[in-house]
Structures are given as structure tokens and as C-alpha cells.
Amino acid sequence: VDIEPLETAPADALTAWRALLLAHSAALRAVAEEVRLRGRVSLSWYDVLLELDSAKEGLRMRDLADRVVLSRTRVSRLVDELVRAGLARKTPDPADGRVFHASITAEGRAALRETAPVYRAATERHFGAHLDEQDQAVLTRTLLKVAKAHGRA
Amino acid sequence: VDIEPLETAPADALTAWRALLLAHSAALRAVAEEVRLRGRVSLSWYDVLLELDSAKEGLRMRDLADRVVLSRTRVSRLVDELVRAGLARKTPDPADGRVFHASITAEGRAALRETAPVYRAATERHFGAHLDEQDQAVLTRTLLKVAKAHGRA
DNA sequence: TAAGATTGATTCCTCAATCTTC
DNA sequence: GAAGATTGAGGAATCAATCTTA
């Protein structure tokens, strides 16, 4: 983190930031709780499985960690849990002995299919339902600007 | 039938939700790191002190937990840490023996004054700087709708 | 019985150190 | 030495159980 001189922030930035923290906390708790109750896998597992499924070829652990909002360490442990549960597999890269590729199993896809509607419904109920289409479009556009500025997304 | 410009973001709730998760994660990490490096207290301590300062009368532990985005348990432990550090005090309610009131000390106010500019600058640098004024206004409006729907804010 | 607050055990998550391979 | 991945240790956050008082 580079240190620069202090600048006076527009009062609006702090207000928007506070709103982001509140909305995130409230909605995420509700979504995670609903997925936990009604889904087949936890939200963390779901996130990982979703990325594995969208990348058909198998993902290096490193790349997987970049796509999920978690540390490399955490992802390593989550994948191990998924492997133990039979929902994912880990295969060594034949060309580079340092690398492992994680991929989703048929059972993992089944779990994903089973949990996806729960996740969609929870997200809709606890987040989307409170916003109209234009709100959602503006949120996506503005929040992705922030994420991209940090090298995510 | 009107044609939308290509750069218009998809307006579905899942996309906006994903953008929220990414932006929140990236910006919060950066803000917390900067506050940790340059501020006098951690972000958690800062949040609690801020609430204690804004409620001059002292807050019941219960009410404090409601205002901070943390569990009652966590707040209880944070306040104990602050008391040990001399930045807050805890006084029993004379009328109701179950209740404790947490309040900020002069030293706590000093720590708050010292950390506030760091927090403002970090929030501006890692969040506000990537948004124009209208973006910020819209974010505040929409995200507060979500928070309020969950009984926060 | 119920509400406010804390404690103990547990899970979640990350950092630093390590191991292996390039 | 540097990069990919894992392990050990510890902090952060929560849940369930408990204690106290209303």
C-alpha cells in the first residue's frame, strides 16, 4: 500500500461506503443462512464448485483462488474437503510438477444443480427483490468499477 | 423495441450480487490494511469507538452490537479489549442489573481523532476515488434500500 | 419465563514458514 | 532464486450453553 498525502474525501464516499458495509453484511448473512438450511452444500463450497464448473478444463489452485474471494490457503483446504466429499478431484499437471488442477466431478455437478436454485432464490429474495432493474444495472456497473480498480473482475 | 447500448451491464440480480461481493472484498481488504498500517487502532476497534462516540450517553451492549456489523459475542470481547486498553469503559446500569453501558474515554476519543483521517483517506482512495458523485449517490440510495429491508440502517 | 451479557468450544480465514519443482 | 501448493499456528467471528437479573 503506497502512502499518499491525505485528501479531503467527499462526504458522499463515506456514506456510500457505510451503506455498502450494511447491505453486504445483512444480505450475505441471510443468503448464507438460507443456503445452509435448504441447499445441499455451504456457500463456500458452492462458490468453489461454481468456478470449477464454469472452467471445464480444470483450474490451477492459484487461478481458482483468484476467482473466489478467498485466500490461496483457504481454497486449498476447501478443495481438499470437496475431494473428500467426492464433489471435486485434484490431478497433477503432467508438464509442471508444481501444479495441481482442480475439477468438478459428476457428483459435484449434481450438488451444484441441486443448490443453484436455492442460491438464486436466496439472492433474489434477500437482495434483488429490493431493487428494480435499473438499480441492479447501476450497481453492477459502479461496483465492477471498484472491483476492477483493485484488479478483481 | 429499443436497443440497449452494448456497455450496459446485465440487470439481473445475480450479476449485481457478484459485483457487490467482489467490490466489498477488494475494497475492505485495502481499507483495513491501510488503517492497520497508518492508524492507531484496528478497523474493528475504530468501528466500535465510532459508535460509542456518536452515542454520547453510553450504549447498552445489545444496542452497540446492533449498530456494528458484528455479533453480540464479538462486541462483548471487543469492548473488553478496549477497556483493557483504556479507550472505553463499561458501567452497570443502576436501574437494571442485567445491563451494562459502554462509553468512550478521553483517550478513546484521542485515538478516534487520530485514526479518523486515515480511515477517511483510505475509504476515499480504495472506494470513493473510483466513483463519481452521482455513482456514490446512487449507491447510497440503492444499498440503503437493501439494508433497511433487513432492518439495518 | 424471558432478556442482557458473557464464556467455552468450534468454525472460518489468513499469515508465515515450508516443501517441492521449475 | 522464484513460483505453486500445502501445513502449522493464531486471530477473527460465531453458536450454543450458561449465569444473572427482571
Side-chain angles (χ1 to χ4, degrees), chain A residues 36-69:
Chain A
R36 189 182 68 77
L37 284 178
R38 305 178 48 197
R40 180 164 153 194
V41 295
S42 72
L43 195 50
S44 297
W45 283 26
Y46 180 82
D47 283 342
V48 173
L49 287 177
L50 195 63
E51 289 298 337
L52 291 181
D53 187 54
S54 70
K56 295 284 182 189
E57 275 306 301
L59 279 170
R60 294 154 78 227
M61 301 300 289
R62 165 80 203 236
D63 295 332
L64 177 58
D66 280 345
R67 297 181 197 211
V68 182
V69 290

Side-chain angles (χ1 to χ4, degrees), chain B residues 25-58:
Chain B
S25 168
L28 181 59
R29 277 167 211 259
V31 168
E33 171 72 0
E34 185 165 341
V35 170
R36 190 182 67 76
L37 285 177
R38 303 180 53 203
R40 180 163 152 194
V41 295
S42 73
L43 195 50
S44 298
W45 283 26
Y46 180 82
D47 283 342
V48 172
L49 288 177
L50 196 63
E51 289 299 336
L52 291 182
D53 187 54
S54 70
K56 295 285 181 190
E57 275 309 300

Side-chain angles (χ1 to χ4, degrees), chain A residues 40-41 49 82-89 103-115:
Chain A
R40 180 164 153 194
V41 295
L49 287 177
L82 289 171
V83 169
R84 240 175 286 130
L87 306 184
R89 79 178 71 81
S103 55
I104 191 168
T105 64
E107 193 60 18
R109 282 211 181 77
L112 201 53
R113 268 197 308 275
E114 205 172 315
T115 307

Side-chain angles (χ1 to χ4, degrees), chain B residues 10 17 20 26-27 46 75 78 85 91 99 106 108 111-112 125 127 146:
Chain B
W17 176 244
L20 176 67
Y46 180 82
V75 166
L78 282 173
T91 54
V99 173
L112 201 53
R125 190 194 331 281
F127 180 69
V146 175

